[in-house]
Amino acid sequence: MTTIYDIAKLANVSPMTVSRVINNTGKIKDSTKQRVEHIINELGYIPNSAARSLISKKTKLLSLILTDITNPFFTKVARGAEDKAMELGYQILLSNSDEDPVKEAAYIDMVLSTRVDGVLITPTGDDTVNELNRLTKHQIPAVLLDREIKNFSGDAVIGDSYEGSRKLVEHLISLGHNRIALINGPAAISTARERHRGYVETMESSGFPIVNNYISNINYKTDNTQNIIQTLFSLPENERPTAIFAANNFIAVRTIQALDSFGFRVPNDVAVVCFDEIGPIDNFNPFLTVATQPAYEFGQIGIQLLIDRIEKEGAHQPNKIVLPPKIIIRQSSVTNVD
Amino acid sequence: MTTIYDIAKLANVSPMTVSRVINNTGKIKDSTKQRVEHIINELGYIPNSAARSLISKKTKLLSLILTDITNPFFTKVARGAEDKAMELGYQILLSNSDEDPVKEAAYIDMVLSTRVDGVLITPTGDDTVNELNRLTKHQIPAVLLDREIKNFSGDAVIGDSYEGSRKLVEHLISLGHNRIALINGPAAISTARERHRGYVETMESSGFPIVNNYISNINYKTDNTQNIIQTLFSLPENERPTAIFAANNFIAVRTIQALDSFGFRVPNDVAVVCFDEIGPIDNFNPFLTVATQPAYEFGQIGIQLLIDRIEKEGAHQPNKIVLPPKIIIRQSSVTNVD
DNA sequence: ATGAAAGCGCTAACAG
DNA sequence: CTGTTAGCGCTTTCAT
């Protein structure tokens, strides 16, 4: 491996001069500069970032901790994050927590030993506050993505789950539904709380009762919905829900599959709506009615906030960016739509 | 930031003893070990990997260079790669080349300066051989993913594009099609060459002519298919293709969109088949007939090969793993299928 | 079983 | 404009 010492020797200068040429600092005679640069190119020399990090305490590495990149929402987040990071000279370390606090903690360990400059994270739940505190203790800035956390104030990029929720429920109500079930994420996750709030308030303001049996909480990514669907549809026909609000795309898919397994068709027997698209290509799967969120921007803005926090001196106020959802009406809720 | 010196001072030992405790090397008296470990936990000390890398010349970092993680095939590859890497104690740096050799080269630069231990890469084309040679020059192992490269022999995980291609075309022929168009990727990419070969040989062995106008090459990810579709369907009705073999999922989507814009319906007017799923959830979008590839395994195996190469002493023979595709028949080619 | 010295590759601080 | 010295945090080597 060639080092600045090799270059220095060949160029008859000190290593320090080589360093100056590489970093474009200080004043170097043009001829020396040329000579050094020529040798650098000749040998294909590339600075060792470990050595640099040791001094600068910066790695130009960021950690992106998502629950699962396989979820199209997070796929696009990752793409936005990567693009912005690259643009600003950083690289991204990817991790999937799978909604599992144990995996999440293990990743924070790695993050800490890799000494990344910052972390953009979708926390698994409110308890993630402990991991965030570990980061803070080591002065590693973190930005929350998609989910806020109780007892933690810091930068965040989130969607407007309350608003999206209201609009989805209003849409269902406008179609004549009033027995609407909510299959939600865990109450320890802010998006689930907000979607619940949107659901409840919209139902109430439309004068419909909140039926507790209609509301359930499951894991956003793993739990299946068989039991829930079975229970809901064992009710007498005039008490069954006519529509289901699935809190996210994965829950929606599992819900539709469960419905299918019991012989119920969407939307003929039941209408289904949810948050976020189920595929990477917008408007290509013309099936699910969704509250879609600008995932790519989540990633971009998240990284931008993070890098601002890293590079800008002084502790400025926490920045909270709220990105609005967009309702797209498709066949899973109405039959007569393209 | 706490260092082994801080620990050493508090434990009344030398830094070397602390290092030994951390790495579990040498013989340490149990009592000293306990004492040191206690203080380590107390302070929440975590070793600085930059310092370690400087000595060991290892970073425990791998680079994953894909064309676009937004493509569900690569999304799953990334997931498989990340899982396997984590399991083996490595972290993954994610990059998207967007099929652009310039971006690809820029990423290789970063890779080189970050001193990753290895690279798993989907090359943009045969010219990527130059970038791979740069890696080799710096003794950084690389494993090819999904695509092989002319004039480069090394480890690779690829699919059987020829076989998948044959089966897709055979499927179309069995449905009575013989005017089948191929919208392929660039000839500089091995998968495109193999898919072309599978198409040509299957057509010929079935006694059908190869119509040159039916074959076109475009970028896997960016070029649109408007012109191609327009040209094909300006032909007299009895010369138009009745089926289209799109070489990958993204081309298929753009093809269907283009067909749609000209008022042609799939599969009623034209059958469409392609490689790889268009969504992350298998069997949920019951539309496209595809040759699907085990993307998750691509990632897992790729990382496994890479780490073997990194950790196993001695230069063993290049390892080439070929993963078979699976044909899934859906509505884009036949109307009477679930 | 433990420690001291040296050095990995680079740059900040100071000298000239 | 260029060089010298020291040290980032850790581990290897050699002593004890």
Side-chain angles (χ1 to χ4, degrees), chain B residues 160-173 194-206 245 275 291 325 327:
Chain B
D160 193 338
S161 282
Y162 173 76
E163 190 59 24
S165 186
R166 283 206 74 116
K167 291 206 175 126
L168 286 175
V169 176
E170 277 162 11
H171 164 69
L172 290 173
I173 289 175
E194 289 295 291
R195 287 166 200 184
H196 178 266
R197 191 166 68 87
Y199 165 86
V200 167
E201 293 188 12
T202 309
M203 291 297 279
E204 282 175 343
S205 68
S206 301
F245 169 19
F275 262 80
I327 305 297

Side-chain angles (χ1 to χ4, degrees), chain A residues 13 15-25 28-29 32-38 40:
Chain A
V13 293
M16 200 50 226
T17 301
V18 178
S19 172
R20 289 195 179 98
V21 170
I22 292 164
N23 297 291
N24 222 336
T25 53
I28 311 281
K29 208 202 300 172
T32 346
K33 189 171 173 179
Q34 309 275 300
R35 191 153 34 96
V36 171
E37 276 173 343
H38 181 248
I40 286 177

Side-chain angles (χ1 to χ4, degrees), chain B residues 73-106:
Chain B
F73 172 73
F74 290 116
T75 309
K76 289 181 212 153
V77 166
R79 194 55 162 88
E82 208 275 315
D83 287 353
K84 179 57 81 178
M86 176 64 172
E87 181 191 329
L88 301 178
Y90 286 76
Q91 288 185 276
I92 295 245
L93 282 166
L94 180 68
S95 314
N96 301 286
S97 70
D98 286 324
E99 305 278 4
D100 176 357
V102 177
K103 273 190 93 170
E104 183 178 54

Side-chain angles (χ1 to χ4, degrees), chain B residues 91-279:
Chain B
Q91 288 185 276
I92 295 245
L93 282 166
L94 180 68
S95 314
N96 301 286
S97 70
D98 286 324
E99 305 278 4
D100 176 357
V102 177
K103 273 190 93 170
E104 183 178 54
Y107 276 117
I108 298 284
D109 281 348
M110 292 191 100
V111 153
L112 251 19
S113 83
T114 311
R115 297 290 202 271
V116 301
D117 293 345
V119 178
L120 180 59
I121 181 174
T122 297
T124 59
D126 289 335
D127 288 348
T128 303
V129 67
N130 300 315
E131 305 308 323
L132 295 173
N133 288 337
R134 286 171 68 205
L135 292 177
T136 319
K137 188 173 154 198
H138 290 266
Q139 338 237 45
I140 300 182
V143 171
L144 295 180
L145 184 89
D146 184 50
R147 301 171 182 178
E148 293 186 279
I149 275 197
K150 286 181 181 169
N151 311 315
F152 177 83
S153 69
D155 296 326
V157 201
I158 57 167
D160 193 338
S161 282
Y162 173 76
E163 190 59 24
S165 186
R166 283 206 74 116
K167 291 206 175 126
L168 286 175
V169 176
E170 277 162 11
H171 164 69
L172 290 173
I173 289 175
S174 78
L175 293 170
H177 296 283
N178 54 58
R179 298 204 304 274
I180 303 171
L182 166 63
I183 307 187
N184 203 1
I189 298 179
S190 66
T191 51
R193 289 194 292 270
E194 289 295 291
R195 287 166 200 184
H196 178 266
R197 191 166 68 87
Y199 165 86
V200 167
E201 293 188 12
T202 309
M203 291 297 279
E204 282 175 343
S205 68
S206 301
F208 298 121
I210 304 300
V211 181
N212 280 328
N213 294 341
Y214 281 2
I215 303 178
S216 44
N217 296 87
I218 63 174
N219 185 294
Y220 271 136
K221 121 158 255 254
T222 53
D223 294 344
N224 81 38
T225 57
Q226 289 289 130
N227 295 338
I228 295 170
I229 298 301
Q230 178 155 37
T231 308
L232 288 173
F233 288 83
S234 309
L235 292 169
E237 194 156 351
N238 62 348
E239 291 178 24
R240 288 182 198 163
T242 59
I244 296 177
F245 169 19
N248 84 342
N249 49 6
F250 277 12
I251 293 180
V253 167
R254 279 176 275 136
T255 296
I256 293 169
Q257 287 170 335
L259 284 168
D260 189 64
S261 77
F262 291 115
F264 296 103
R265 293 263 156 194
V266 178
N268 303 14
D269 303 318
V270 201
V272 173
V273 301
C274 70
F275 262 80
D276 298 322
E277 299 278 10
I278 58 161

